[in-house]
Amino acid sequence: MRVQFSRRALLLASLSGAVLSSTPALAQDATPAADSGYDDEIIVTAQKREENLQNVPISIQALGTRKLDQLNVTNFEDFSKLLPSVSFQSSQPGVTTVYMRGVASGGDGNHSGSLPSVGVYLDEQPVTTIGGTLDVHVYDIARIESLAGPQGTLYGASSQAGTIRIITNKPDTSGFEGRVDGELNTVKSGGMGGKIEGMINAPISDMAAVRIVGWYQRDAGYIDNVPGTRTFCAAADDGEGGVTCGPGGISVNNNAFVEKNFNDAEVYGGRAALKVDLDDNWTITPTVLYQKQKSSGVFSQDPRVGDLQTQRFYPDARTDKFIQAALTIEGKIGNFDLTYAGAYLDRKAYQINDYTDYAEAYDALYTDYGGLAGYFYLQDNAGNTIDPRQFIIGTDHFRKMSQELRIASPQDERFRVVGGLFYQRQSNQIHQDYIIPGLADSLSVNGRPGTLWLTEQKRVDKDYAAFGEASFDITPTITLTGGGRYYKYDNSLIGFFGFGRNPNGPPFNGAGSSRTGVAGCYTTTGAILRDNPGGTLLPAAVEGGPCTNLADYVNGELVPKRTKDTGFTHRVNLTWKPSEDVMTYATWSRGFRPGGINRRGTIAPYDADFLTNYELGIKTTLADGRVRLNAAIYLQDWKRFQFSFLGENSFTEIHNGPNARIKGIEADINVRATDGLTFTAAASFTDAKTKNNLCAIDDPTYQCTDPGNSISAEKGTRLPVTPKFNGNATVRYQFPVGPGEMHFQSVIAHRSSATPDIRVTTADALGRIKGSTTVDFAAGFEWSSYSFELFLANAFDERAQLARYSNCGQCDGRVQVLVNQPRTIGARLGAKF
């Protein structure tokens, strides 16, 4: 790996150096211009039409091309730091669940978990998948729009709490242009990284152009996998006819996997777009995006081991690749605008993870029974007790097709409308293989020696919608807008989960379970195997499984478990614009998230949850356009929110929890103090709490008083993940020097602490996500069409905690803390031609 990277580092360096000599004739024709990063007018399409940001009655932040370039934004973590209403949970690159305005119950992001509550769009097409958010590399992007609050009228089911839109730069027929950018960096206590990016826009004719973008980035590792041992119980006689944990158990070390900076990552890909103007009114734009992301190691530290250190006993790696083909057709029918947007996304993820924490936790849990050696049946074919450590091999294959057709009336009319139809189908082929090397064939999942637990399932989610929104100018300064969305969802799940079944048992499997797994599979009579021991199993409905235990038996056939529903969401907005520079608005809106099927068939499906938003906002442009100040205050009611957690066998369960109320305020300011000095800041305050008790066992009364029930979180418990305060500020100063311009820039970002889990006992065990403040510095010079910059990211080496979690339902004794990248020093070089 080190030799391989050194070659790539040399390639990056040579490419960066080549930038200085690329297309000198073209570069000399360009004229330098002062570019402080302040956009006098930002055009957004948040309401499916082009509008000035200051005229959109939505709490929206927009990061334009210049801002994205100046702040070196390349991925989700980079731009989410600049959006104070956004928070997220993550464990490694490509595994991220996004939240907005505190609408978070924690535990989401599982391959059979709840759908996301925040929608992410790439241009006109949704790229939010069942497994979370695609981390699309950010380069040659026109802007990123963050729309806070329910956007369910125009954007649908996965925009319950908000929407993030990534808008790419489109092909341009006006002329040839291109750019190349390179970077090299080094991480404190870590390795060396870098990236190379490029773009070419080429007209084909007066009515057609192509734009091609490519990138490669390598992020240095900074987590060390250090030596460690784990010793497990030996089953011993307790002197009273029972079994206890005795000495002489299996002891293992991780010497074979010890490595410094073992969490490196790389991403590479490209994007191509063709724009064809069929005539003055009709344009078609087909695009294709491909990206592959590879990472090794883990990105969390173990506080019990040390700073930026962990102990892993099997390999950890992940590969995530996707390709999306999209087509946008825009035209006019009379004076109405017609838009079609369709896309097909294919995403494949593979990962292998050490699961030793599970063995360690359950060995301790069953100490009084001799640990795993006395309670489980982890033996080889000869009957010998074996090393109980596990590792997981998991794959997810996501497919998503979306289609939208909408029509909009002229936006300069007093009465204007937009309406359309939407359809989306997404699926996920789920494979999870929990392996204990050497496990006896008879104790493994049938037909898979060494597999203790297997999941082979297929999930399909379908959404249909008809939407519309109308605006009427009551007076030249007062506008009333009303909209609605009729929706229908149809979600299903089928397959297998669980242990194997030894027909000569007991023991039936390595866990000694007589109920979960093959024992619950359907036979040809419709009965399950444990109720019909001599029955013949029906064939597996999902390839790779031994049989099917998650399905419904209907007329002699197995069909997916299904949940479906219909409903209506709305948005009503009143806008008052007393002058060209001031706008105020009031909004009442509602968003939803579809229900779904639990992976454990004995648990009831979970229902849709709903978010109702009441919001007041103001947008102002002051001091002859030198100051923009926008703010919003809101109250949100979240009804029977979906709540995910690791239940029995560390198996994800989703339930409808209690209600919650979220109150908050958010504001942003942009100041152009002089022609060269700019200041921007954004902040949010979020107060999100439950309105009822969260019960350990579902209780519609929220009293939690039935036998065996208890209160997991009392009324008034803060919702997890989201900090109370989140804010950032940027100062940039540019001034002429010789043939070009020099700039200095600093970014500070602060977030207060947050709880990692809504369940109080679990949150206490994991510990609070500590608050943090990070500071970045940069200094650079631009001349002609070239640019050079030195930067210092996380200048004071703050160990910002991004998440705290454990690897299984009983693993809270070994907490994992996801931290940011340590102090990084680097240089960037770019050229435009």
Side-chain angles (χ1 to χ4, degrees):
M1 175 63 73
R2 297 296 173 250
V3 174
Q4 182 183 27
F5 171 63
S6 65
R7 291 173 179 171
R8 287 175 177 163
L10 290 172
L11 174 62
L12 283 170
S14 63
L15 286 171
S16 299
V19 167
L20 287 175
S21 58
S22 63
T23 58
L26 289 171
Q28 291 171 2
D29 292 337
T31 55
D35 187 357
S36 64
Y38 184 93
D39 294 302
D40 293 313
E41 183 178 30
I42 300 177
I43 302 299
V44 297
T45 52
Q47 297 190 115
K48 307 285 189 177
R49 55 167 66 96
E50 291 188 352
E51 298 172 284
N52 187 324
L53 172 70
Q54 294 301 92
N55 294 332
V56 180
I58 297 174
S59 181
I60 175 175
Q61 281 187 273
L63 304 173
T65 301
R66 286 182 290 179
K67 180 67 71 175
L68 294 170
D69 287 345
Q70 290 168 0
L71 298 180
N72 192 35
V73 172
T74 61
N75 56 34
F76 174 80
E77 185 179 336
D78 291 339
F79 68 75
S80 65
K81 184 171 69 174
L82 306 171
L83 305 173
S85 294
V86 175
S87 55
F88 64 93
Q89 280 185 314
S90 182
S91 58
Q92 58 187 311
V95 184
T96 301
T97 304
V98 187
Y99 306 103
M100 294 184 78
R101 283 187 171 179
V103 182
S105 60
D108 300 317
N110 189 281
H111 38 231
S112 280
S114 299
L115 283 168
S117 63
V118 174
V120 179
Y121 279 67
L122 181 64
D123 293 321
E124 294 285 347
Q125 290 79 15
V127 293
T128 311
T129 67
I130 295 170
T133 302
L134 293 183
D135 195 358
V136 179
H137 186 83
V138 176
Y139 183 72
D140 192 40
I141 298 297
R143 64 189 178 278
I144 295 176
E145 301 175 3
S146 174
L147 288 61
Q151 307 296 325
T153 302
L154 294 180
Y155 292 97
S158 288
S159 294
Q160 178 190 41
T163 301
I164 296 173
R165 305 182 69 229
I166 303 172
I167 311 299
T168 63
N169 285 314
K170 303 301 186 293
D172 185 359
T173 59
S174 63
F176 179 87
E177 63 172 323
R179 60 182 290 194
V180 180
D181 296 277
E183 175 185 313
L184 289 174
N185 62 65
T186 181
V187 179
K188 179 189 177 185
S189 304
M192 187 175 181
K195 63 183 178 182
I196 185 76
E197 304 162 309
M199 175 277 294
I200 289 178
N201 179 88
I204 299 173
S205 69
D206 292 342
M207 303 184 70
V210 64
R211 196 178 191 100
I212 300 174
V213 184
W215 57 86
Y216 170 82
Q217 178 173 335
R218 185 184 188 280
D219 295 326
Y222 48 87
I223 301 291
D224 297 338
N225 192 24
V226 301
T229 60
R230 299 288 185 269
T231 301
F232 300 96
C233 289
D237 190 338
D238 66 358
E240 300 178 358
V243 179
T244 188
C245 181
I250 292 174
S251 184
V252 298
N253 63 60
N254 67 342
N255 292 345
F257 306 104
V258 170
E259 183 182 357
K260 287 185 65 65
N261 309 324
F262 84 137
N263 65 319
D264 48 17
E266 67 176 11
V267 58
Y268 55 87
R271 188 176 69 242
L274 172 67
K275 181 180 179 182
V276 179
D277 296 326
L278 301 178
D279 56 28
D280 292 341
N281 294 323
W282 288 88
T283 299
I284 61 171
T285 309
T287 63
V288 63
L289 165 70
Y290 173 82
Q291 181 171 294
K292 185 173 183 178
Q293 188 172 51
K294 299 191 294 184
S295 61
S296 59
V298 296
F299 290 73
S300 58
Q301 63 184 25
D302 184 343
R304 293 174 53 173
V305 178
D307 181 46
L308 300 179
Q309 293 182 338
T310 191
Q311 292 174 342
R312 306 292 284 182
F313 291 77
Y314 276 118
D316 292 278
R318 176 179 170 84
T319 301
D320 186 354
K321 62 180 180 180
F322 57 85
I323 185 168
Q324 177 182 270
L327 175 66
T328 302
I329 303 175
E330 299 169 290
K332 285 186 175 294
I333 299 179
N335 60 351
F336 278 65
D337 295 320
L338 185 71
T339 302
Y340 166 80
Y344 178 78
L345 172 70
D346 190 296
R347 179 188 188 189
K348 296 178 180 178
Y350 166 90
Q351 66 184 63
I352 180 171
N353 291 110
D354 177 31
Y355 207 39
T356 298
D357 286 1
Y358 178 93
E360 179 187 31
Y362 277 79
D363 192 62
L365 182 66
Y366 296 123
T367 296
D368 293 341
Y369 303 92
L372 290 175
Y375 196 82
F376 277 40
Y377 300 89
L378 304 183
Q379 302 162 353
D380 61 18
N381 286 326
N384 303 309
T385 298
I386 61 174
D387 176 358
R389 290 177 300 156
Q390 300 180 39
F391 64 91
I392 311 169
I393 293 178
T395 63
D396 291 280
H397 187 180
F398 303 96
R399 293 183 175 94
K400 179 170 184 171
M401 180 181 68
S402 63
Q403 313 266 357
E404 180 175 315
L405 180 67
R406 69 175 183 270
I407 190 168
S409 65
Q411 64 184 64
D412 56 355
E413 297 291 336
R414 185 179 182 186
F415 178 76
R416 49 204 176 272
V417 298
V418 58
L421 301 172
F422 177 81
Y423 169 73
Q424 156 177 296
R425 183 187 189 275
Q426 53 182 330
S427 65
N428 184 16
Q429 199 87 18
I430 306 161
H431 167 77
Q432 293 278 303
D433 192 348
Y434 293 72
I435 300 171
I436 301 180
L439 184 66
D441 296 1
S442 62
L443 301 174
S444 304
V445 172
N446 303 61
R448 303 185 76 103
T451 295
L452 178 66
W453 175 288
L454 180 70
T455 300
E456 294 284 359
Q457 296 175 350
K458 183 176 183 180
R459 173 174 174 173
V460 178
D461 289 12
K462 293 185 283 189
D463 296 277
Y464 312 80
F467 61 90
E469 193 168 88
S471 297
F472 178 69
D473 296 332
I474 301 173
T475 71
T477 60
I478 299 176
T479 300
L480 177 65
T481 299
R485 188 181 190 97
Y486 172 81
Y487 66 82
K488 175 183 177 181
Y489 66 82
D490 184 351
N491 299 341
S492 64
L493 188 64
I494 190 171
F496 173 83
F497 67 95
F499 305 106
R501 185 174 179 85
N502 177 10
N504 299 316
F508 294 107
N509 45 63
S513 173
S514 62
R515 300 184 60 83
T516 303
V518 174
C521 282
Y522 286 96
T523 64
T524 53
T525 65
I528 59 175
L529 186 62
R530 66 170 175 264
D531 297 333
N532 182 23
T536 301
L537 290 171
L538 285 167
V542 177
E543 184 180 356
C547 49
T548 302
N549 59 3
L550 180 61
D552 287 326
Y553 184 81
V554 179
N555 297 325
E557 295 182 349
L558 294 178
V559 297
K561 283 188 171 292
R562 174 171 276 110
T563 182
K564 53 186 177 180
D565 199 4
T566 61
F568 183 81
T569 61
H570 67 266
R571 176 176 176 264
V572 178
N573 174 274
L574 184 65
T575 301
W576 178 43
K577 195 171 174 57
S579 71
E580 283 297 314
D581 298 328
V582 178
M583 183 187 73
T584 62
Y585 65 89
T587 299
W588 172 40
S589 57
R590 191 172 189 241
F592 85 104
R593 179 168 51 167
I597 300 295
N598 267 292
R599 295 167 63 202
R600 191 186 298 277
T602 56
I603 301 174
Y606 53 95
D607 297 327
D609 58 2
F610 297 88
L611 183 73
T612 303
N613 174 62
Y614 309 91
E615 180 177 335
L616 296 173
I618 185 169
K619 297 191 173 187
T620 61
T621 303
L622 309 171
D624 295 326
R626 289 182 172 269
V627 178
R628 286 199 306 266
L629 175 61
N630 301 333
I633 186 170
Y634 60 87
L635 183 149
Q636 298 183 138
D637 284 324
W638 195 10
K639 185 177 180 182
R640 288 184 53 76
F641 59 76
Q642 294 170 15
F643 164 59
S644 303
F645 63 95
L646 293 176
E648 185 181 354
N649 304 122
S650 292
F651 207 56
T652 300
E653 299 180 13
I654 305 103
H655 296 255
N656 287 95
N659 304 319
R661 172 159 288 179
I662 306 167
K663 296 178 286 186
I665 185 170
E666 51 204 12
D668 64 88
I669 186 171
N670 292 260
V671 179
R672 186 177 62 201
T674 67
D675 287 342
L677 179 62
T678 60
F679 170 80
T680 63
S684 68
F685 176 83
T686 308
D687 184 18
K689 296 179 179 178
T690 59
K691 293 178 65 178
N692 316 95
N693 294 331
L694 173 65
C695 301
I697 301 174
D698 293 346
D699 180 357
T701 70
Y702 308 118
Q703 299 304 307
C704 319
T705 55
D706 291 341
N709 208 348
S710 61
I711 297 176
S712 296
E714 291 185 345
K715 173 184 176 180
T717 299
R718 280 190 57 80
L719 297 182
V721 182
T722 304
K724 266 193 173 182
F725 178 83
N726 194 3
N728 65 82
T730 302
V731 177
R732 183 179 178 91
Y733 181 55
Q734 291 189 193
F735 54 94
V737 174
E741 283 196 339
M742 179 167 281
H743 67 263
F744 296 100
Q745 178 177 279
S746 179
V747 181
I748 182 170
H750 173 77
R751 53 179 290 148
S752 62
S753 65
T755 180
D757 198 286
I758 192 173
R759 297 165 296 172
V760 174
T761 301
T762 302
D764 289 344
L766 295 175
R768 289 189 69 81
I769 303 171
K770 295 180 180 179
S772 60
T773 302
T774 60
V775 181
D776 302 335
F777 296 108
F781 187 71
E782 297 179 23
W783 73 104
S784 185
S785 293
Y786 301 109
S787 63
F788 175 74
E789 184 177 70
L790 298 174
F791 67 91
L792 181 62
N794 191 12
F796 302 108
D797 200 29
E798 175 82 354
R799 200 70 72 241
Q801 297 186 3
L802 306 179
R804 298 178 72 99
Y805 61 93
S806 62
N807 286 319
C808 74
Q810 300 293 332
C811 297
D812 294 346
R814 191 170 289 278
V815 178
Q816 308 298 311
V817 181
L818 182 71
V819 295
N820 65 332
Q821 186 168 291
R823 180 169 58 234
T824 302
I825 301 173
R828 305 185 188 103
L829 192 62
K832 298 179 181 180
F833 51 90

